[in-house]
Amino acid sequence: QVQLVESGGGLVQAGGSLRLSCAASGSIPSGGAMGWYRQAPGKPRELVARISSGGSTNYADAVKGRSTISRDNAKKTVYLQMNSLKLEDTAVYYCNVQVWTTIGPTNYWGQGTQVTVSS
């Protein structure tokens, strides 16, 4: 059974910092892209940041310049450092691993961790 275990969410003050982590375990294959998505109430799930197995990164415009995604391939863990947090960062954050095969993409998701930014 594939598991993505997230940690680091919680309640933080606006302007503060937070680090999310996600460790993959089980039968999940190595080499896939890893990333973070978030979903705010009443809004669709959106990409926050993504990192390939080779280290290439992609960020949503809303978090560019104040967030950093990184990974430890040996530990199959992805991190998201978020600084200068804003109220609009409040959402449930989901860890994602995407693996491509000849059939197509397979997505694995974590259970989600709540991030709440207060004024």
Side-chain angles (χ1 to χ4, degrees), residues 61-78:
D61 289 341
V63 303
K64 284 182 179 178
R66 58 189 184 93
S67 296
T68 302
I69 188 169
S70 60
R71 66 188 290 166
D72 185 330
N73 289 331
K75 297 180 179 179
K76 295 184 181 297
T77 301
V78 62

Side-chain angles (χ1 to χ4, degrees), residues 48-98:
V48 179
R50 179 187 295 176
I51 184 168
S52 73
S53 61
S56 298
T57 59
N58 184 43
Y59 296 93
D61 289 341
V63 303
K64 284 182 179 178
R66 58 189 184 93
S67 296
T68 302
I69 188 169
S70 60
R71 66 188 290 166
D72 185 330
N73 289 331
K75 297 180 179 179
K76 295 184 181 297
T77 301
V78 62
Y79 307 91
L80 181 66
Q81 177 69 43
M82 302 182 68
N83 303 318
S84 301
L85 285 163
K86 305 175 180 180
L87 266 61
E88 51 263 43
D89 293 320
T90 296
V92 178
Y93 284 70
Y94 296 91
C95 179
N96 168 262
V97 177
Q98 185 177 73

